[in-house]
């Protein structure tokens, strides 16, 4: 393979993103038989399937596992087409370095946007189907019979006419030499026996027994540990520090400045490194943002609500004319605060560097992004670097587009050549240096005619663009399309679920100097609150039932309506709730899936209790229904935590919240009963990890209004008196 010594990180990532949607160049690059014997490796049938002599099937998974079940789901899809014995399936991650060396044969390593399965399902299924055809061909050649006369079930190939049979493990070596067929038809989902079934996850047992190693647990021979501290003020830098003050503390090996913004201490244990770092005198240059506050940011966004210039995301009819005409006008302004990813496992990476090679072990949502960052920091071509992916202790978007912790680990390792160094961020460092879900505001104005019909709707968003900061190449003539999640015109990804004769949804971009990032569910979360709570307001203003009001606007959106009707029916919307219990509804489309929720709550002496939430989701196809249920339940923990407690406050140019004592999350005792309805209508592939997060908050907020008569428009709920 030709070397590419001048490949920049930017070009490498851009190429990786551009290739995400395309099929790889080929499935089959077998190793020679002699090489297999020399290395003790089992035959690779193709990039996705390795078969061992004992019939163990190793399925390679390029996407990352962070608790969402993608590893098991993708393995099910490959195993389904492979027709192997599921009880003999195991998995492994290929490395991004191997992917680069083999012309990106595994495609994208990026895992985010609920795309792990839906964007790779076709080519991984083809990988399994191709391997099955090659294994059958190898057996048929051995028996000197047509492959069409052979069948396979659970990894056993049979030739019924002669009564002969064999197993995948026995023919794997010869199968690896077979020329793969150009095109193998895929199964109809109605014929699935492995995919589509609620099979147990492949990674559960190791997690329960403690065998699973996360990045924070990793151990290497002769490994050192590093703790790091960066300027807590956004945009600040290191001015000076006194390394000699801690140089003789127990276990300390070195004090290192990391870039312009941070200082690290390397020691024999992490606790000794952190203890020395806490004692290290550091003077910060706090830079231009030291006086920034949430109040100032809120004022900036409020100005955007009335600005004349805005980017249009969805428009039809003539809203300005309708707003100036007859009818009852209803107006409301909502606000959503900064949120932190707050993964249970803080950022970490282990690196070893030499002038010839750099290797990194890291829990990452984007292995290729980590490889690019490692190569840039190492000062080496990507071909002389590699990244070993590890299961993530939570990602939620933080470990995808952002590779700061990888870069830091490599820069520190360069100071200790040949020695593995594990960098772990403290919880405080993790909270102070996130890439935050941006704060936004929204002003909505609707017009109701004499019959209570919605004739016009203007929705003005004001707030930060994630793409402008994180991925400028994704902008469209200055507009950030991600801002309009759930609000788009008709389409396959984030379609607005209502038909309004006069509609305008626009965005006034206001970018304060707080680093924004993709946060699980991204902009769909606040957009669902704005739309669904305002729809509730409009229904009450019109004197109509909230479900009936919505249904009139959803005749042209049958899939949206189907999930909304499903939750309404299950929760018994048309029947009176128990005494003291009140209900709320919400629906949205996001990440290619249609979702809805209905909540039951009570408020006693100002204390909110969420009793029950019914959720419906239509992701088109389902790979593991049990895992979808788990994802829905987990998404409600995330969405309700944000609704009830989530808030990061900027004061003095930095975040006030540094740990879970001030950045609260839901406790187990607060979690409501969750009932999941799966409605796979087929014909498309939607996501399941993020969409239902968005309907959790608006369903509860609408139920809170039903219980108290108080309309909560500024989150989180903890800041409001419900008495």
């Amino acid at each position: 393979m030709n070397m590419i010594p001048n490949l920049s990180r930017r070009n490498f990532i851009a190429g990786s993103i551009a290739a995400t949607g395309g099929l790889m160049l080929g499935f089959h690059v077998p190793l020679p038989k002699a090489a297999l014997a020399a290395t003790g490796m089992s035959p690779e049938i193709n990039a996705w399937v390795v078969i061992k002599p004992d019939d163990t099937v190793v399925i390679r998974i390029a996407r990352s596992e962070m608790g969402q079940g993608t590893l098991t789901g993708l393995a099910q899809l490959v195993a389904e087409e492979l027709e192997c014995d599921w009880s003999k399936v195991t998995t492994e991650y290929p490395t991004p370095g191997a992917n680069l060396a083999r012309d990106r044969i595994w495609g994208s390593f990026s895992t985010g946007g609920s795309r792990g399965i839906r964007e790779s399902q076709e080519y991984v299924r083809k990988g399994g189907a191709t391997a099955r055809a090659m294994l059958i061909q190898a057996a048929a050649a051995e028996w000197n019979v047509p492959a069409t006369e052979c069948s396979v079930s659970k990894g056993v190939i049979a030739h019924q006419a002669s009564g002969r049979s064999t197993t995948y493990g026995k023919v794997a070596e010869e199968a690896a030499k077979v020329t793969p067929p150009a095109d193998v038809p895929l199964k109809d989902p109605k014929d699935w026996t492995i995919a589509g079934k609620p099979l147990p996850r492949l990674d559960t047992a190791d997690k329960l027994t403690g065998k699973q190693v996360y990045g924070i647990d990793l151990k290497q021979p002769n490994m050192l540990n590093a703790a790091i501290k960066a300027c807590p003020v956004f945009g600040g830098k290191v001015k000076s520090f006194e390394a000699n003050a801690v140089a003789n503390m127990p276990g300390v090996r070195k004090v290192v400045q990391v870039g312009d913004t941070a200082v690290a201490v390397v020691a024999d244990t992490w606790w000794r490194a952190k203890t020395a770092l806490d004692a290290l005198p550091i003077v910060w240059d706090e830079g231009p943002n030291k006086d920034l506050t949430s109040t100032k940011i809120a004022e900036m966004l409020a100005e955007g609500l009335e600005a004349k210039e805005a980017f249009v995301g969805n428009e039809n009819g003539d809203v300005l004319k309708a707003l100036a005409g007859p009818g009852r006008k209803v107006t409301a302004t909502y606000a959503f605060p900064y949120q932190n990813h707050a993964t249970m496992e803080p950022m970490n990476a282990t690196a070893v560097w030499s002038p010839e090679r750099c290797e990194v072990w890291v829990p990452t949502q984007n292995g290729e992004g980590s490889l690019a960052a490692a190569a840039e920091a190492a000062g080496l071509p990507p071909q002389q670097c590699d990244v070993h992916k590890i299961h993530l202790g939570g990602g939620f978007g933080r470990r995808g587009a952002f590779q700061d912790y990888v870069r830091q680990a490599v820069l520190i390792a360069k100071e200790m050549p040949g020695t593995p160094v594990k960098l772990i961020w403290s919880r405080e460092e993790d909270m102070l240096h996130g890439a935050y879900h941006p704060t936004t505001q929204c002003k909505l104005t609707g017009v109701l005619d004499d019959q209570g019909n919605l004739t016009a709707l203007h929705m003005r968003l004001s707030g930060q663009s994630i793409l402008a900061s994180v991925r400028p190449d994704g902008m469209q003539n200055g507009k950030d399309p991600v801002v309009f999640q759930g609000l788009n015109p008709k389409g396959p990804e984030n379609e607005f679920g209502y038909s309004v004769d006069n509609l305008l949804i626009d965005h006034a971009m206001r970018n304060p100097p707080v680093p924004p990032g993709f946060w699980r569910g991204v902009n769909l979360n606040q957009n669902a609150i704005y739309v669904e709570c305002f729809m509730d307001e409009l229904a009450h203003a019109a004197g109509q039932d909230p479900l009936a009001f919505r249904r009139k606007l959803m005749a042209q959106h049958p899939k949206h309506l189907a999930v909304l009707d499903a939750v309404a029916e299950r929760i018994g919307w048309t029947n009176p709730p128990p005494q003291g219990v009140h209900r709320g509804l919400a629906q949205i489309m996001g990440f290619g899936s249609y979702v809805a929720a209905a909540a039951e709550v009570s408020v006693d002496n100002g204390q909110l209790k969420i009793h029950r939430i019914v959720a419906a989701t239509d992701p088109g196809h389902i790979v593991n229904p049990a895992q979808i249920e788990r994802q829905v339940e987990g998404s409600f923990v995330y969405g309700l935590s944000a609704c009830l407690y989530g808030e990061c406050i900027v004061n003095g140019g930095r975040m006030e919240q540094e740990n879970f004592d001030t950045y609260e999350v839901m406790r187990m005792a607060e979690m409501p009963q969750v009932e999941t309805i799966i409605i796979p209508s087929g014909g498309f592939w939607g996501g399941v990890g993020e969409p239902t997060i968005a309907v959790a908050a608006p369903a509860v907020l609408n139920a809170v209004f039903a219980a108290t008569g108080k309309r909560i428009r500024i989150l989180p709920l903890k800041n409001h008196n419900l008495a």
Side-chain angles (χ1 to χ4, degrees):
M1 170 147 186
N2 293 330
M3 297 293 287
I4 315 175
N6 295 319
L7 181 62
S8 72
R9 174 177 175 268
R10 179 179 294 276
N11 290 337
F12 179 71
I13 292 177
S16 300
I17 292 171
T20 298
L23 193 62
M24 292 70 64
L25 298 180
F27 285 113
H28 189 56
V29 190
L31 292 172
K33 183 175 180 180
L36 288 169
T39 60
M41 294 173 60
S42 301
E44 176 188 282
I45 311 305
N46 60 27
W48 304 99
V49 178
V50 173
I51 309 277
K52 296 183 178 181
D54 65 356
D55 295 323
T56 296
V57 176
V58 181
I59 296 177
R60 290 178 176 148
I61 306 296
R63 308 283 181 159
S64 298
E65 178 57 53
M66 47 190 162
Q68 83 281 34
T70 291
L71 180 140
T72 299
L74 289 173
Q76 283 181 258
L77 289 171
V78 175
E80 179 64 55
E81 299 292 344
L82 183 60
E83 293 274 13
C84 65
D85 184 345
W86 178 253
S87 68
K88 297 180 179 179
V89 167
T90 186
T91 62
E92 68 179 19
Y93 290 130
T95 71
N99 198 41
L100 182 63
R102 294 176 64 169
D103 295 320
R104 298 192 76 245
I105 196 168
W106 285 283
S108 174
F109 275 55
S110 178
T111 310
S114 296
R115 290 185 170 91
I117 287 178
R118 63 185 172 123
E119 284 196 351
S120 54
Q121 55 83 20
E122 183 177 13
Y123 60 75
V124 302
R125 291 162 67 200
K126 285 184 177 179
T130 301
R132 181 192 73 235
M134 294 164 67
L135 289 156
I136 292 174
Q137 181 59 51
E142 181 180 328
W143 297 331
N144 197 27
V145 300
T148 54
E149 293 183 4
C150 300
S151 61
V152 63
S153 176
K154 293 187 176 181
V156 177
I157 306 169
H159 183 245
Q160 188 174 1
S162 63
R164 286 176 289 188
S165 66
T166 189
T167 67
Y168 277 173
K170 293 177 181 177
V171 299
E173 191 171 309
E174 292 303 313
K177 305 173 187 176
V178 171
T179 300
D183 190 29
V184 180
L186 300 177
K187 292 183 179 181
D188 189 309
K190 67 180 177 59
D191 298 322
W192 284 349
T193 59
I194 296 175
K197 307 302 177 185
L199 302 180
R201 286 175 52 156
L202 295 173
D203 55 341
T204 300
D206 284 353
K207 291 178 179 178
L208 290 175
T209 61
K211 183 179 177 182
Q212 179 64 55
V213 174
Y214 293 90
I216 201 169
D217 307 316
L218 187 74
K219 291 182 173 60
Q220 298 274 27
N222 304 314
M223 184 179 76
L224 296 176
N225 296 268
I228 195 165
K229 185 180 291 185
C231 182
V233 177
F234 301 119
K237 299 179 180 181
V238 176
K239 187 173 183 178
S240 64
F241 60 94
E242 299 177 26
N244 291 337
V246 300
N248 295 322
M249 289 183 68
V252 171
R253 302 297 175 81
K254 199 163 191 176
V255 180
V256 180
Q257 181 167 341
V258 185
D260 295 330
T261 63
V263 181
V265 174
V266 182
D268 55 354
T269 71
W270 185 80
W271 188 251
R272 284 178 165 179
K274 182 183 183 300
T275 301
L277 183 63
D278 289 342
L280 179 68
I282 306 175
V283 178
W284 304 111
D285 174 2
E286 295 185 341
N289 302 318
K290 61 182 179 180
D291 297 323
L292 185 68
T293 65
S294 284
T295 299
K296 291 180 180 179
I297 293 171
E299 291 170 354
M300 181 191 307
L301 270 56
E303 179 274 326
L305 294 178
E306 305 298 335
K308 292 183 179 180
E309 299 296 326
F311 295 102
V312 175
N314 195 350
E315 182 179 25
N316 60 262
D318 190 336
V319 165
L320 295 181
K321 181 178 179 180
L323 291 177
R328 180 183 177 186
K329 294 177 184 61
V330 180
T331 300
T333 300
Y334 285 77
F336 192 85
Y338 283 112
Q339 301 278 348
N340 200 311
H341 296 86
T343 61
M344 189 56 62
E345 178 190 25
M347 300 304 108
N348 67 87
T350 300
V352 59
W353 181 91
S354 73
E356 294 79 30
R357 186 162 179 80
C358 177
E359 292 190 79
V360 178
W361 290 259
V362 60
T364 176
Q365 289 180 244
N366 187 345
E368 291 177 299
S370 295
L371 177 60
E376 180 186 59
L380 296 169
Q383 292 80 6
Q384 290 174 233
C385 305
D386 210 347
V387 167
H388 306 276
K389 294 201 306 174
I390 304 173
H391 279 17
L392 288 67
F396 314 129
R398 177 61 178 91
R399 288 180 156 103
F402 312 99
Q403 302 293 330
D404 42 355
Y405 53 101
V406 173
R407 192 174 300 106
Q408 288 176 345
V410 173
L411 290 174
I412 296 168
K414 286 179 74 173
E415 300 292 323
M416 319 290 292
T419 301
V421 179
K422 178 165 70 175
L423 169 68
I424 302 175
W425 287 19
S426 67
R427 175 62 60 192
E428 290 75 16
E429 192 72 8
D430 196 77
M431 296 291 288
L432 290 173
H433 297 286
Y436 304 89
H437 185 298
T439 180
T440 63
Q441 295 180 18
C442 181
K443 181 178 179 181
L444 304 104
T445 304
V447 179
L448 299 169
D449 66 15
D450 292 341
Q451 287 75 46
N453 298 310
L454 181 64
T455 60
L457 175 64
H458 181 202
M459 180 175 179
R460 164 60 63 86
L461 299 162
S462 179
Q464 200 159 4
S465 162
I466 299 174
L467 288 188
S469 172
V470 177
R471 210 180 73 206
D473 57 312
M475 301 286 279
Q476 298 175 355
N477 297 318
K479 180 176 75 175
D480 181 349
V482 179
V483 164
F484 299 99
Q485 285 183 313
L487 309 175
N488 289 333
K490 192 172 182 63
E493 185 75 6
N494 292 284
E495 179 186 332
F496 189 57
Y498 300 104
S499 295
V500 184
D501 290 341
N502 301 284
L503 176 70
L504 175 60
I505 303 175
D506 54 11
H507 173 228
M509 189 182 300
R510 299 293 183 270
N511 291 324
V514 175
F518 300 107
W519 183 95
R520 190 179 179 192
V522 200
N523 294 303
L524 190 71
N525 296 315
Q526 69 267 20
N527 290 347
I529 293 170
Y530 301 155
V531 171
E532 288 305 295
C533 289
F534 191 62
M535 281 294 166
D536 222 58
E537 292 202 47
L538 291 168
H540 286 283
Q544 298 178 24
D545 173 77
L547 174 61
F549 183 83
R550 286 175 170 84
R551 295 189 94 254
K552 290 191 298 181
L553 300 169
M554 299 176 72
Q556 298 178 39
H557 306 273
K559 292 187 185 299
H560 291 81
L561 182 55
V563 291
L564 183 63
D565 280 345
V567 298
E569 180 180 358
R570 175 70 68 85
I571 209 160
W573 185 263
T574 58
N575 301 319
Q579 182 68 32
V581 173
H582 301 268
R583 294 172 177 153
L585 290 166
Q587 68 82 30
I588 199 83
M589 181 199 183
F591 303 95
S593 291
Y594 304 84
V595 296
E600 289 186 338
V601 312
S602 63
V603 179
D604 185 14
N605 292 323
Q607 296 300 307
L608 171 67
K609 181 173 178 59
I610 308 170
H611 298 274
R612 177 187 180 205
I613 293 183
V614 176
T617 179
D618 177 3
H621 294 290
I622 58 174
V623 175
N624 189 317
Q627 187 54 31
I628 291 177
E629 290 183 8
R630 298 182 193 111
Q631 281 291 284
V632 170
E633 292 168 0
S635 74
F636 282 170
V637 178
Y638 215 72
L640 292 177
S641 289
C643 175
L644 299 176
Y645 304 116
E647 180 183 35
C648 292
I649 299 171
V650 181
N651 192 8
R654 54 175 285 171
M655 289 301 180
E656 288 186 350
Q657 288 68 30
E658 297 187 26
N659 213 314
F660 289 119
D661 59 335
T662 50
Y663 190 75
E664 300 172 73
V665 296
M666 283 190 78
R667 303 306 198 262
M668 291 182 68
E670 299 174 284
M671 189 64 191
Q673 173 188 343
V674 177
E675 301 172 34
T676 303
I677 306 169
I678 306 173
I679 312 173
S681 60
F684 65 97
W685 289 80
V688 298
E690 294 172 276
T692 49
I693 296 175
V695 289
V700 167
L701 291 172
N702 289 335
V704 167
F705 173 78
T708 66
K710 295 186 176 183
R711 188 65 71 178
I712 306 302
R713 300 190 181 100
I714 301 176
L715 292 182
L717 259 172
K718 71 175 184 179
N719 294 335
H720 298 271
N721 180 7
L722 299 182

